[in-house]
Every structure is written in C-alpha cells, then in structure tokens.
Amino acid sequence: MPVEPKLTRFKQNVLSKYQIYNSIFMTLPFDAITKTGVLLPLFHETCKKGFASGDDPTTIVDTFFKKYQARRNRESQINLLFRFIQYIERQVVLFDAIEDASFPIVNNMEGIGTLRNLKESTISQNKLDELKDYLEEFKVRIVLTAHPTQFYPGSVLGIITDLTEAIKTNNLNDINNLFGQLGKTPFFKHKKPTPYDEAVSLIWYLENVFYKSFGEIYNYIQQNIFSDSEAHNEIINIGFWPGGDRDGNPFVKPKTTIKVAKRLKQAILNSYHKDLKVLSRKLTFRNVEDRIIKLEETIYNYSIDLDYKDAISLPELKKELIEIRDIVVNDHQSLYINDINSLINRIHLFGYNFATLDIRQDSRIHHDVFTTVIDNLLKTDHPSFPKNYHDLSEEEQINILSNVDTTNLIDIDVFEDEMVSNTLKTIKAIKQIQESNGELGANRYIISNNQTALNVIQLFSMLKMVAFRDHLTVDVVPLFETITDLENAQPVMEQLYNNPAYIAHLKSRGNKQTIMLGFSDGTKDGGYLMANWGIYTAKEKLTEISRKYDITAIFFDGRGGPPARGGGKTHQFYASLGPTIEDKEVQLTIQGQTISSNFGTLDSSQYNLEQLISSGIFNRMGKDQHAMPHEDRIVMNDLAVTSYQAYKDFKNHPMFIPYLERMSTLKYYAKTNIGSRPSKRGSSDKLVFSDLRAIPFVGSWSQLKQNVPGFYGVGTALKAYEERGEFYKVEQLYNNSKFFKTLLENSMMSLTKSFFDLTMYMAKDPEFGAFWTIIYNEYLTTKSLLLKLTGYKVLMENEPSVKASIEVRESIVLPLLTIQQYALKKIQELEKEEIKDTEMIEIYEKIVTRSLFGNINASRNSA
C-alpha cells in the first residue's frame, strides 16, 4: 500500500483530529464566565474578517463587543478577554499534543536522514566500513540550556505528555479528564524559578526522554551497523547549562552548581535502578540471580544516599554487568541478552554524570575577578607576578600566566567581594564535581564575550591556581559572538596555539580545541545573512589554523530556537558545510520550547537525533559535492556585506530603540517569571542596545509578527543584484550551495510567521509610521525576491506540512495577538492622559504579559 504524501498525513492525523477535539474542548465550562467557548470562535472570525478589511486591533475588539456582547460593561469585557487568553493557551497545548501523538505517522521514521536509511544507503554504495570508521570518531552533543523561551510550567508539560498518550489511543474518557485538568491548571508562575528549579525541569527530559532515546539509538548502531556487543564510541551525549551558566545570571551560585550536579547523579542512578529492577525479575538463573539482586540493592541505596559507604564505582558497575552477561551467554542460552546490553550501553553513554555540566561566564567578569586576585597576590609577593604586572603588554602578561607557579593554591577565603569569591569557589566546585561524578560531570568552562587570547589564558591560569595545579582536566572554550569577534577569532586562536603551555594542555586533552560560536548576539549585532556567513567563514579560518597546528577544532554552535538565532532546519546546515569546515563533532544548544517541540517525546527525540547524526555523516561522506566555488563565495560575501550595511542603518535609525521600547512587548518579558535570568544585562533604567538580551530582542519582534532578525537585509541584498542585472549570479549560488539554500529556506520560515496586517495601523502613527513602513517594505522586498529566486508560488512551498502546521498555529493565536495589540494601544492612550488611570494601565499591562505565553508556545521556535 503506497504511503500518502506528508501533507495528506498531516491533514488526516493532525488537522482533522484538532478540529474534532477542539470542538469537544470548547464546550467545557472552565470558569464562571458562561459561553466563553461559544464566543471565542465568533471573536476569531471577527479578527479574521477585520484584518482582511484593513481594520486595526482596537476597531476589531470594539466591533466584536458591539455586535455580540453589547450589554457588557468595561470590567466584564476585560474579564472575557482574559478568558479568551486562557482558552487560546490551552488550544495551543491541544495542538501540541496532537502533533506529538501523530509525529511517527506524519514523519517517516525510516526515511531520509534516519539511521536505517543511512545504513542501507552506505551498504548499497559499498561504504559500510567507511561508515563504521566515521562512527568511531564522530559525536553529537546537544546542550540543554535554561534560556527563557519555554512558557509551560512542569505541571502543564506533564499534561501534554499524558494528553499525547491519550490521543494516540483515542481514549475519550482520559482526554476529557485531561481537558478538565488543563482548564484548572495555571499557566503562569507567580514568582521566578530559581536556577535549580530550571535544572529540575530539564532533568525531567533526561530521565523520561533522552535516557530512552539515546539508548535506543546506540543499541541500533551497535546491533545493526557494528553487529556486535562491543562498547564503541558513545556517539551522542548531553551538555547541561542550568546551574552552571552564570553569564548575566547573579542567581547561579557555586552551591547551586554542586546541588545540580548531585541531582544529575541521583537521576541517572535512579534510571539505572529502574532497569536493574526489571532485569532482576528476568535474570532468575543460577549464579546470576543473587548478583543482579545485590547490584539492584546497591544502586538503590547509592541513589538515595550519594555518601553510601558501600557504593560501587562506575568501572566496578560495568565489570559486574559484563561478567553477568558472560554467564548468561555461556550457561543460559543468552536469554535477555539484549536487555543486559541495553543497560551496559546506557552506562557507557551516561556514566555517573548523566549530562556534562558546562560552566559559563563573561570575560569582563573574569577580568575584574582576575585583577582583584592579582592585586592580592602582589601584596603577598607571589613569585610569579612582578610588581609592574598590570603595566605589562598583553603578550608579556600571557607569558607570565602561562608559566604561573601553582605550588601553593590561592586561598579563596581572603576575598570578601561576592563576585570574586563565587567565581573562585565555582572553580573549586568543578574539581569537587569531577571527584564525585567523574570528569565528564563538569569539564568545560565557556568564556562568553571572548575577545583576546588573554581572556583565555587568564581563565587557564586561574583554573590551575585555584584547584587543578598542573593537571588541568577542564577544557577552556572561548565563545565568539559579535561580527567583530568572529573576524578576530582566527588570530586569537593562533596566538594560543603558539603558546607552549597552552598547546601542551591541548595535547593532554587529545589535541582538540572546542570553540563556541554564538548566533544570538551575532544576529542581533550583524543581521541574519552576515551572522550566518560570519560564522561559516570563521569556522573555515579556525579549521585551517587548527589543522596547521595538528589540532582538531570542535565547533559548538549557540543555536537558539528560531532561524534568527541559528535555529530552523538545523540538520540541513550540518549536512551542507563541506570540506573546509571541521566536522568531527556536531555540538549545539537546545533551549526552551525547542526542547519540547524537537525532543519532547521519544519519537521526536529519536528522529531529530538521528537527523543530526546523519547530517554530519552525509557532510563527510559526500563532501566533495558541497565545496563552494570561488565565484559563489564572492556573491555570498557581497550579499552578506550589503545585508549587514542595511541592517546597521536600520539598527542606527533614531526610532529603533524607541519603537522596541514603546510599540513592542520588550519590557514585558521581565514580568513573565519564566526564567531566572534578568531580561537585560545592564542596570540602567534607559534601554541600551548592547544591554539587550537576544531572547527578548528576537521574541519582541516575533510578538509584533515582524520577524525582523530573521529576514532584515536579505531583500535589500538580493535587490542590489536584481537592479544590476546580475540576479543570475544569486540563482547560481542558490542552485550550487546547500548552505545558502538552507539559509534562505529558514528565512522563509521567519517571513511565513510574520503578519503585518496586525500592525498596519502603525503606518499612520505620526511618530513611528515612517519606521514601520521601512520594516514592511523590507519584508515585501525579501518575500518577492525569495519567491523569484526559488521559483515558488508561495513561501515554504517545498515544505507544505510544516507550512500547514505554522498556519494552524498562527490561526489559533490570531485572537491572542489582536488582544495583545489592543491592550498595548490602550496603554499608549492612557499614558498620554494628563491624569493617568494607573489601575487600568496595570490591568492592560497584565493582559499584554499574559498574552506573551500562548504566542511563544504556539510558534515553538520564535525566541
């Protein structure tokens, strides 16, 4: 029986089910307001017709109340708007659950990019041995971050999981009960989560999703590609930022880091215990039963008390299981051998650490801390530091720091400054975690805003002077983000590679250097095309310089959820890099609703992990096809430069900051209580561009439905070629380069999620009308030229099922967006009055804040 097209499968299994279940959902009485579920469809239709007619959000809301609810007073109207918000939030949850339930039906779990497809294609090309060799050195690391783009509290995530399972089996009774639970469960948090709360939320995914999906993937590779039971290269692993990422987050303390590491260890021990408990019921054989029961008891006791006196070490645990497996093979006909191998594989993957806790801090903080430490050491006549240390050149300072005397470790108790004390105690914490959870418990320290080799060497020496002496088991990872930093990355790394002490450290770490490249601030700084091209060319230069010194560069991408922050079709990027970029490992950050949407279920997690593994392998095994010709590079660079200038001019427009401050939801992000980090870096009341965090910045454009960071400058760059009569050069680049093609396809997603009819009223605003028109014209230019370039009749024509999903989600939140704009307009009007009605301003501000949740959740990758 032939398989239906993906769009057909989506319509049958997602869209039809949503329409059926939503009709049930809308009849449930969640609150004292009657007929909310009846009125919402009428409001939705009013919004749809209103925008089609060119009405503004205020007119649309007023029209609805006049036509359908004329008797309501203002208080009653506002109550109804709040009820609409609550209903729409839950409609988004329903759609999420239906999409999750239908994932393995809509997506071909054995199609292109899956491991089975990869295996079969390599066998048909007689390249299986080449695949095996590659798998022995290739790794994928996904790094879970606590960046605040996930608006679902844990209780709601649990409901989504249960609802997904009920929908899979069409269990109407359970679905009905879960709808009722959904209606009664709050979606917002009254106080900000702590960093530890964030860690606990993400550990849920480790225990309930990744423990299982990683294990299944590794089992498949072991059994079907290597056809043995040997412990090969682990291939996939997890990084973890909650509790370790203190960049801009004053609430992450050393105690937090240690507490999270303990929780991670307990979580993995709990997971092992569950598997051992199942095994103990199966392995009821002579010479095996007693040993497996004892092992289960030991791991159980260890999981509830990490100081358990009879705890078993990781090597001992592996050895015991392997010996049990040997007895089962030799004496008991290999009964349940796959179950035993599965547990051994998971222990191989996760150790006693579960995930590697990354530490991250800003180079400017390190510099201040280090200056304080040096001042103290100068007072005590430390042998390594001359009195004029601060007056020396950067090169002279690097030379001194590289050969610092670590005979006596720094006494951190003498420092009273909290930032200094916490930074030094964090280094001690890394050492402590390694002793408890193994080196993989915490062995990377990322320096954000890294600009110089001195930034790296300062941390390098601090790690040794505080805790590690000359046996440094920590990788120092510079993070280059802004366009300038990306351009300077190559000379910075070459300076480090020429440093004898640092290169000796790299040799002790397997001749590998991890380098992080951040999309978020790159896009905020340089615009969409330049950020992506800047990272691409930086990787090329860093690969070249690293290979020159026999170092393997490991690139760690700070990819966020939306295309504007490096997201979108991520695996397509890794399949398009070509031979000039090192590809031994794929490492990227996953955050917020991208975790729940791409990795939130076993099916989606396994599918997307397999896509990432395959993308790296396809890049390696077919790389000769992907090298970018010189003439295409010239065009790509010219497009990026033109786009960059257009974005810089836009960013420097006098209305840029006022527009974000007064016409967007930027300032409301701080009120959502979704993350522990402050929403901006500086403490000034005045909004400064450099203080803006990328998430609220990108998210605010998304709430306006003007996804500027994902397209601005692209149209201007393409138009320049069209006006010169050289558009054929861009067409040639598009046809030749998978990288450029993927870049534009992700930009089309940003355009598809834009809806300028929502804010069309701003064109008439005396203060901001001209600025709004600049954005709208760039949108129109980009859209028309992308359609011309691709030959598509509509955006995302090549991905109809994804486009259909976006359209449903955007339709669900249309009333929510209308309410948000209505409230923002009311606030602006009330602020202009001589006597301000502070009570009403507060109510409308609450409406704006509450409307953020559903909009972000519906977009799944918008911030």
Side-chain angles (χ1 to χ4, degrees), residues 237-420:
N237 53 50
I238 308 177
F240 201 78
W241 276 17
D245 179 15
R246 56 238 315 123
D247 178 15
N249 193 339
F251 308 111
V252 179
K253 310 289 187 185
K255 286 180 181 177
T256 312
T257 307
I258 291 169
K259 190 177 178 183
V260 170
K262 286 181 176 178
R263 181 66 180 250
L264 284 165
K265 184 171 182 177
Q266 284 184 312
I268 192 59
L269 288 170
N270 280 331
S271 297
Y272 293 157
H273 172 252
K274 288 175 186 174
D275 280 357
L276 283 165
K277 193 172 183 180
V278 172
L279 271 178
S280 68
R281 294 183 62 179
K282 293 180 177 181
L283 303 181
T284 53
F285 320 138
R286 189 178 64 256
N287 297 330
V288 172
E289 184 176 26
D290 290 345
R291 292 177 73 168
I292 201 77
I293 289 172
K294 184 182 178 186
L295 201 53
E296 182 209 333
E297 290 173 351
T298 302
I299 292 295
Y300 173 74
N301 289 327
Y302 197 10
S303 70
I304 59 175
D305 180 10
L306 295 180
D307 297 318
Y308 178 55
K309 62 182 178 62
D310 293 322
I312 185 170
S313 70
L314 192 63
E316 288 171 339
L317 176 61
K318 289 180 182 177
K319 182 172 178 286
E320 181 66 4
L321 279 168
I322 289 168
E323 287 180 5
I324 288 170
R325 182 179 67 184
D326 290 344
I327 295 170
V328 170
V329 170
N330 295 326
D331 299 344
H332 303 292
Q333 290 76 49
S334 297
L335 274 170
Y336 299 118
I337 190 69
N338 287 340
D339 298 86
I340 303 170
N341 279 333
S342 181
L343 178 54
I344 292 171
N345 287 343
R346 286 185 167 93
I347 292 168
H348 178 55
L349 290 176
F350 300 116
Y352 275 169
N353 60 291
F354 215 158
T356 298
L357 193 57
D358 284 346
I359 309 300
R360 186 172 75 128
Q361 184 55 283
D362 192 289
S363 64
R364 291 163 291 195
I365 298 292
H366 284 156
H367 181 76
D368 292 344
V369 169
F370 196 74
T371 301
T372 304
V373 170
I374 296 298
D375 287 343
N376 181 267
L377 294 176
L378 289 174
K379 290 177 189 174
T380 59
D381 296 319
H382 192 283
S384 293
F385 298 97
K387 294 291 185 185
N388 66 336
Y389 173 82
H390 292 306
D391 299 323
L392 299 176
S393 67
E394 181 179 308
E395 196 171 323
E396 289 171 320
Q397 288 185 359
I398 287 173
N399 186 48
I400 289 170
L401 293 173
S402 302
N403 302 288
V404 71
D405 183 358
T406 59
T407 305
N408 296 311
L409 294 177
I410 292 173
D411 180 6
I412 62 178
D413 292 330
V414 302
F415 297 100
E416 295 179 2
D417 182 272
E418 187 181 13
M419 183 59 75
V420 175

Side-chain angles (χ1 to χ4, degrees), residues 563-630:
R565 299 183 52 241
K569 296 289 182 181
T570 305
H571 57 275
Q572 290 180 2
F573 269 111
Y574 291 113
S576 69
L577 295 178
T580 54
I581 292 176
E582 199 68 76
D583 59 357
K584 295 276 178 66
E585 295 193 25
V586 168
Q587 295 193 10
L588 69 159
T589 56
I590 307 287
Q591 63 204 37
Q593 76 278 60
T594 311
I595 298 174
S596 57
S597 62
N598 289 359
F599 301 94
T601 67
L602 291 175
D603 291 321
S604 63
S605 173
Q606 184 165 337
Y607 180 83
N608 285 303
L609 282 167
E610 288 189 17
Q611 292 288 325
L612 283 173
I613 293 169
S614 297
S615 67
I617 292 167
F618 278 131
N619 184 59
R620 167 68 66 90
M621 298 177 80
K623 58 170 42 183
D624 292 339
Q625 305 162 24
H626 302 318
M628 191 181 289
H630 177 68

Side-chain angles (χ1 to χ4, degrees), residues 27 31 39 55 61 80 110 112 126 236 332 357 372 374 380 389 441 457 470 482 498 550 578 607 621 737 763 777:
T27 63
D31 49 62
L39 291 171
D55 292 340
V61 174
L80 183 61
E110 296 182 353
I112 293 171
N126 205 24
I236 40 181
H332 303 292
L357 193 57
T372 304
I374 296 298
T380 59
Y389 173 82
I457 296 299
D470 292 324
T482 66
N498 276 311
D550 295 321
Y607 180 83
M621 298 177 80
S737 170
N777 287 340

Side-chain angles (χ1 to χ4, degrees), residues 203-215 599-606 609:
I203 289 171
W204 184 93
Y205 287 101
L206 297 184
E207 292 179 295
N208 292 281
V209 181
F210 293 116
Y211 181 76
K212 297 170 184 176
S213 61
F214 276 39
F599 301 94
T601 67
L602 291 175
D603 291 321
S604 63
S605 173
Q606 184 165 337
L609 282 167

Side-chain angles (χ1 to χ4, degrees), residues 59 123 152 255 272 369 417 500 505 647 710 730 770 778 814 816 826:
T59 302
I123 289 174
Y152 291 141
K255 286 180 181 177
Y272 293 157
V369 169
D417 182 272
H505 166 66
Y647 181 75
V730 183
E778 182 67 15
L814 183 64
L816 199 57
K826 287 292 183 184

